[in-house]
Amino acid sequence: MELTINDMTCAFTPGQTILDVAAAHGIFIPTLCRLPNCTPTGACRICVVEVWGARTLVASCAAPAAEGMIVHTDSDRVLRARRTILRLMLDSGNHDCLLCPAAGDCALQSLAYRYGVGTGAFERPRPRYRPETGNPFIVRDFSKCILCGRCVQACNEIQVNEAIDYGYRGAAAKIVAGCDTALSRSDCVFCGECLQVCPVGALSASDARSKPRLCETRPVRSTCAYCGVGCQVDLHVVGGRIAHVRGAEDGHNEGSLCVKGRFALDFASHPDRLKTPLVRRGGELVPASWDEALGLVAGRLAAIRDAHGPDSLGFLSSARCTNEENYLFQKLARRMGTNNVDHCARLCHAPTVTGLMQAFGSGAATNPMADIAHAEVILVTGSNTTETHPVFAARVKRAVRTGAKLVVVDPRAVGLTRHATLWLRQAPGTDIAWINGLMHVILREGLENREFIAARTEGFEALRDSLAAYTPERVQELTGIPAADLEEAARLYARAGTATILYCMGITQHACGTDTVQALASLAMLCGHVGRPGAGVNPLRGQNNVQGACDMGALPNVLPGYRRVDDDAARRHAEGLWGAELCGKPGLTATEMMAADRIRAMYVMGENPMVSDADVGHVRRKLESLEFLVVQDIFLTETARLADVVLSAASAAEKDGTFTNTDRRVQRVRAAVPCPGQALPDWRILNMLSERLGLGPGPDSPEAVMAEIAQAAPIYGGIDYRRIENEGLVWPCPDKGHPGTPILHRESFPRGRGRFVPVHPVPPAETPDEDYPLTLGTGRVLEHYHTGTMTRRSEGLNRIVPECFVEMNPADAARLGIVQGQRVRVASRRGEISVKAEVTGRVAEGHVFIPFHFAEAAANVLTNPALDPLARIPEFKACAVRVTPE
């Protein structure tokens, strides 16, 4: 179809607006209220155009294009209207460009300059509302607001937080939070989406006046260093410091960030940063030169290896370091003769790798995050997605807004339960029972995908026979989920044309985590919901590079690219590449290293097991008993304080490399600011240490390391920095001509046929009793990350969540005589902590929840180190505790 704009014939497709058609043909029409992917409002009227035959000017952002339409975008009538609108906007508020933080990045200022419009045409009213400054992140200056509504759309249609909206009428109109309260007392989660889309200075960062304006900075594109979503960010730098962080609008996150990604990079310039190596002298850690520190590390590691054998050494790698650094770290360990190398995946998604590998032959997410838009049904379990993966959670909420059915299975009222079609509230540790119950109902009602089962799977008969006992009534007894709700969920999932499963550590952090993952894989295969857009099994990776650290071989049983250490061909390939003889016996896991007497020395890079591991008391005893401990980190963490040598490393903002997100997307990380003091990037430290150990020099740049990774790991074979300069690639990407593989298992599984594995419920290793009557689960909160090493050095985040707390059900609190905000002691068989009570219905009666970010009240003092027999992950999500008032 065609229309004419400014005497130019323009083709268009039905559904496009006049503005869309103009933009597609390079014709400029100004806008202030339009927000991509949101419902057009026509609120600002600055985009008006003249349409032949129309009595009035038309808002091009909202007017559908029509066949034969004749449009003029710059007629005299249009220009007069735009200038009048601009004058009204300028004179209706306090638009003082000399003092406004948005100057140079203000759409209103730019349009005023373009159309030659100034202030003073109309009488300026006195401001009706005072600026709001009572929160740590965003200033709301109502005198600058032009009521374009972009912030409202960003909050309600993009983030789907629904914290703000229009309020009042006429001259009193304003954007309100809740019932016209402050942001800090509303549902606002401070994602900053409104801040990024505001076209004027009505919204600004709380510290904007103390920093250079955006237009005075240099942007550096990088990848967020927090969760596994891997948001693309622009770090705006001036004078060697990060002044502003904005979401990259051309990244897969489409400009969105969370409160941590947007506002919590101030840790990079925190005065506590390690600026020099430290060595222990006279019981104290004191500054040292790099020569002294690395010489000591090389000498002691080599001496212990030579005296007690290579397996006396343990290496803990890091999901917060780059792919290149994890690759060099595991290479160093293996060239020293041991496979005792692991990282924090052992504490979060080891059951994913083990369970999905057995079911599918690959232990990674099957679909990209953007693919959620194609899912008719979304099953979320064991994932507090809105707090742990907020930007992805927004995609889930948008999918629900457009018709997807959401089933949430969680013992706690997480954020997504507000948006759920169905919430199944199971008792902690009973996940296998309800998954088996879903499959029982699907088979009973003949809803299984028989064609997929016959063509793509094996072991179906054994699975079918194993499910006979899991009637909805029995599952209700085992889990507390009403039988009717279980049946409804089974029908929703099985009857959907496309359905996806999303899960996280609520599923994996159990002594039966591997079995639970296998059950989820069986559920997906039973209905054929694998290998298609909108259909898959998708673990949500917790840390920024936990996927990449696994890919790089920072695991005791596999080399880079998941090639087994006991596979002779794989080992010979690595030996040829590295020029060293390698051990063919799988090493110890991280949890096994903490219990093994033979481990006499440990090298810890970017991990903090003194806060993150279960039963940290036994971790302390192990680390204190070592002959030698070296820790490489950006702060003096609780683990680093026990070290003999501390090596000062660079943060993600200070080095080049790549991270791999939960999509399997390999993305660039770029140095934006210099390292503090004498600190160095981890890859450079590892190369310097390798030379001192007599292992020769390593690749001389991260780019060169990636070239070696491409040789070592076939799934990365086609990835190089040139190809991912602007946009990441998704593995497997076997050669330079391959486009990457966003969706796995389209035609077949890596192991050939998908394998059904019958599994049965295993109760938690520790259950409540008279002495410890409550069940504890641990997890994260939105504002903090992992062991708090970075986020707890953010002043703004600490203002919102300053201390640890325990969530308790009102019935439990009343029975124990505990009131909101009271100090209580939480004790398990392993220790006790003092925290504040948060009395809330978010947790069920008999269940309590504690976040694990707070070293001074570490939840993992309490947790049970009982291990999954295959994945060797501790049971973080269920242990027995008691709570008593202080």
Side-chain angles (χ1 to χ4, degrees):
M1 303 177 75
E2 293 182 342
L3 56 71
T4 301
I5 304 179
N6 298 344
D7 300 324
M8 178 191 298
T9 301
C10 302
F12 69 94
T13 56
Q16 287 186 298
T17 63
I18 295 173
L19 183 63
D20 293 332
V21 180
H25 291 82
I27 300 169
F28 174 77
I29 298 177
T31 63
L32 286 170
C33 68
R34 181 176 182 269
L35 198 58
N37 302 317
C38 291
T39 306
T41 63
C44 72
R45 308 302 292 179
I46 202 72
C47 71
V48 292
V49 295
E50 193 169 5
V51 176
W52 188 85
R55 291 188 301 167
T56 61
L57 297 179
V58 171
S60 62
C61 69
E67 175 70 26
M69 183 179 277
I70 300 173
V71 179
H72 290 283
T73 67
D74 290 306
S75 67
D76 289 342
R77 186 182 176 198
V78 168
L79 294 179
R80 284 195 304 272
R82 287 183 188 156
R83 290 188 180 109
T84 300
I85 293 167
L86 288 169
R87 290 188 185 103
L88 284 166
M89 287 181 175
L90 288 169
D91 286 338
S92 66
N94 182 25
H95 297 290
D96 185 348
C97 297
L98 292 177
L99 298 177
C100 182
D105 189 51
C106 173
L108 180 59
Q109 181 187 51
S110 297
L111 290 176
Y113 181 81
R114 182 186 186 105
Y115 289 101
V117 173
T119 59
F122 301 95
E123 182 178 353
R124 179 177 296 180
R126 295 185 63 182
R128 183 181 290 266
Y129 304 109
R130 295 174 60 86
E132 179 190 318
T133 59
N135 68 73
F137 300 120
I138 299 173
V139 171
R140 304 170 75 201
D141 188 342
F142 300 101
S143 72
K144 297 182 186 296
C145 180
I146 60 172
L147 294 173
C148 65
R150 283 168 63 96
C151 59
V152 173
Q153 290 184 296
C155 186
N156 296 339
E157 295 189 41
I158 295 178
Q159 289 288 344
V160 200
N161 290 324
E162 299 171 338
I164 60 176
D165 210 331
Y166 288 98
Y168 308 112
R169 293 177 179 273
K174 65 181 290 197
I175 305 300
V176 299
C179 296
D180 198 9
T181 186
L183 283 180
S184 58
R185 294 193 294 271
S186 74
D187 290 336
C188 179
V189 295
F190 295 103
C191 64
E193 191 86 26
C194 58
L195 177 65
Q196 179 147 333
V197 304
C198 180
V200 292
L203 299 173
S204 61
S206 59
D207 59 356
R209 288 291 182 90
S210 64
K211 291 181 176 180
R213 289 166 167 157
L214 194 71
C215 62
E216 298 168 338
T217 63
R218 173 178 61 89
V220 178
R221 177 63 56 86
S222 196
T223 301
C224 182
Y226 284 112
C227 80
V229 173
C231 292
Q232 292 297 281
V233 295
D234 288 325
L235 307 179
H236 288 263
V237 177
V238 64
R241 293 174 70 91
I242 299 169
H244 307 280
V245 180
R246 289 173 66 87
E249 294 181 3
D250 56 346
H252 69 88
N253 50 306
E254 298 175 331
S256 294
L257 295 174
C258 74
V259 63
K260 298 185 292 292
R262 192 179 301 277
F263 295 115
L265 260 68
D266 44 352
F267 73 84
S269 57
H270 195 278
D272 288 351
R273 282 291 304 276
L274 289 170
K275 300 177 178 66
T276 182
L278 306 173
V279 299
R280 192 170 294 278
R281 292 198 193 102
E284 299 293 327
L285 287 169
V286 297
S289 68
W290 277 108
D291 278 344
E292 179 186 3
L294 290 175
L296 182 56
V297 172
R300 295 290 286 130
L301 290 180
I304 292 170
R305 177 196 59 186
D306 294 344
H308 302 287
D311 281 343
S312 63
L313 306 179
F315 293 79
L316 292 184
S317 197
S318 177
R320 291 196 291 277
C321 291
T322 65
N323 286 320
E324 293 77 3
E325 291 160 346
N326 280 287
Y327 174 81
L328 291 176
F329 190 83
Q330 62 82 35
K331 177 183 172 182
L332 174 68
R334 289 183 161 116
R335 293 179 78 196
M336 291 194 73
T338 184
N339 287 316
N340 293 341
V341 58
D342 205 358
H343 73 290
C344 73
R346 187 64 48 199
L347 308 178
C348 57
H349 271 295
T352 286
V353 177
T354 305
L356 293 186
M357 191 71 74
Q358 292 187 11
F360 298 159
S362 170
T366 59
N367 301 65
M369 287 175 283
D371 196 57
I372 201 76
H374 300 293
E376 296 177 14
V377 169
I378 304 166
L379 172 61
V380 180
T381 183
S383 171
N384 184 7
T385 323
T386 54
E387 299 196 58
T388 59
H389 302 86
V391 172
F392 178 55
R395 285 190 181 274
V396 175
K397 291 183 284 186
R398 291 198 298 270
V400 173
R401 279 175 59 93
T402 56
K405 303 294 185 183
L406 175 62
V407 178
V408 177
V409 190
D410 204 290
R412 188 163 164 255
V414 296
L416 284 182
T417 57
R418 281 200 311 134
H419 303 268
T421 308
L422 195 60
W423 173 27
L424 309 184
R425 192 172 203 173
Q426 84 279 34
T430 63
D431 298 294
I432 291 173
W434 68 258
I435 299 169
N436 281 353
L438 290 181
M439 292 191 284
H440 173 98
V441 173
I442 290 165
L443 288 170
R444 184 189 71 189
E445 300 189 4
L447 300 176
E448 72 274 18
N449 189 325
R450 297 174 187 175
E451 182 180 351
F452 185 92
I453 292 167
R456 300 279 307 274
T457 70
E458 62 185 15
F460 170 68
E461 291 77 12
L463 176 77
R464 181 187 58 204
D465 294 344
S466 74
L467 297 173
Y470 294 95
T471 63
E473 293 72 24
R474 186 188 177 211
V475 170
Q476 180 172 325
E477 293 174 3
L478 293 172
T479 68
I481 296 171
D485 289 349
L486 185 83
E487 291 172 332
E488 182 181 353
R491 292 169 190 139
L492 278 172
Y493 181 80
R495 288 172 176 166
T498 54
T500 194
I501 296 172
L502 309 176
Y503 72 90
C504 201
M505 289 175 280
I507 286 294
T508 59
Q509 287 182 329
H510 292 274
C512 59
T514 298
D515 286 352
T516 309
V517 171
Q518 289 175 325
L520 288 174
S522 292
L523 173 62
M525 290 189 292
L526 187 67
C527 299
H529 289 321
V530 185
R532 294 179 288 121
V537 180
N538 294 290
L540 303 180
R541 300 295 190 175
Q543 295 192 50
N544 55 304
N545 201 36
V546 71
Q547 180 66 61
C550 293
D551 300 344
M552 294 302 103
L555 296 168
N557 61 328
V558 293
L559 297 163
Y562 304 98
R563 308 178 85 186
R564 293 189 57 84
V565 298
D566 53 8
D567 182 312
D568 291 342
R571 199 169 60 255
R572 283 195 297 271
H573 174 79
E575 288 173 341
L577 188 61
W578 298 343
E581 185 176 345
L582 303 180
C583 175
K585 179 184 70 175
L588 298 178
T589 66
T591 46
E592 290 169 335
M593 289 183 219
M594 292 298 175
D597 291 337
R598 72 171 185 261
I599 298 295
R600 294 171 176 263
M602 292 189 73
Y603 186 167
V604 180
M605 179 179 74
E607 290 291 331
N608 191 14
M610 276 296 298
V611 179
S612 63
D613 284 27
D615 185 12
V616 295
H618 95 280
V619 174
R620 175 180 287 276
R621 291 189 292 273
K622 177 61 183 179
L623 296 181
E624 290 179 339
S625 73
L626 293 171
E627 293 179 26
F628 186 69
L629 172 63
V630 55
V631 174
Q632 188 168 305
D633 216 313
I634 64 175
F635 290 105
L636 193 65
T637 64
E638 289 72 20
T639 304
R641 293 189 188 114
L642 302 178
D644 297 289
V645 178
V646 179
L647 304 177
S648 50
S651 75
E654 299 146 7
K655 59 188 175 185
D656 291 333
T658 58
F659 293 151
T660 304
N661 76 346
T662 199
D663 279 356
R664 296 169 282 108
R665 186 184 304 274
V666 185
Q667 302 181 114
R668 282 297 312 276
V669 177
R670 294 178 176 87
V673 293
C675 298
Q678 299 175 41
L680 294 172
D682 296 89
W683 68 268
R684 191 175 294 279
I685 298 171
L686 293 167
N687 275 348
M688 293 163 64
L689 179 60
S690 180
E691 289 197 69
R692 283 165 174 78
L693 285 165
L695 301 175
D700 62 0
S701 69
E703 185 172 7
V705 180
M706 179 54 72
E708 187 175 311
I709 292 169
Q711 297 179 65
I715 58 175
Y716 278 65
I719 296 175
D720 61 34
Y721 278 20
R722 177 189 57 82
R723 295 193 70 196
I724 60 173
E725 179 64 25
N726 299 315
E727 186 177 358
L729 279 169
V730 180
W731 69 257
C733 180
D735 57 64
K736 292 295 194 292
H738 197 283
T741 313
I743 299 177
L744 295 178
H745 319 319
R746 281 183 175 271
E747 303 297 332
S748 64
F749 294 100
R751 67 178 307 279
R753 285 177 172 262
R755 180 182 173 217
F756 286 113
V757 181
V759 294
H760 297 283
V762 177
E766 188 174 84
T767 54
D769 59 20
E770 186 175 343
D771 293 327
Y772 299 95
L774 302 170
T775 298
L776 167 68
T778 65
R780 299 180 181 179
V781 296
L782 170 66
E783 292 81 7
H784 287 298
Y785 174 75
H786 203 49
T787 64
T789 302
M790 299 184 296
T791 53
R792 296 200 66 207
R793 288 176 170 87
S794 167
E795 181 182 352
L797 296 181
N798 284 331
R799 279 180 59 184
I800 299 176
V801 184
E803 62 179 318
C804 192
F805 57 87
V806 56
E807 289 184 353
M808 302 184 65
N809 185 271
D812 292 322
R815 186 176 67 254
L816 296 169
I818 293 168
V819 297
Q820 172 70 24
Q822 182 177 354
R823 301 296 304 182
V824 298
R825 300 200 74 79
V826 185
S828 76
R829 291 178 174 85
R830 288 153 294 280
E832 68 176 31
I833 60 174
S834 172
V835 296
K836 182 179 73 173
E838 182 76 26
V839 180
T840 172
R842 291 188 72 182
V843 292
E845 191 172 351
H847 184 212
V848 296
F849 169 84
I850 302 177
F852 69 93
H853 314 290
F854 301 88
E856 69 278 13
N860 285 320
V861 166
L862 309 170
T863 49
N864 191 351
L867 301 179
D868 178 292
L870 292 176
R872 313 304 289 169
I873 188 173
E875 189 151 58
F876 292 99
K877 289 296 187 279
C879 76
V881 299
R882 64 170 173 257
V883 181
T884 55
E886 285 196 348

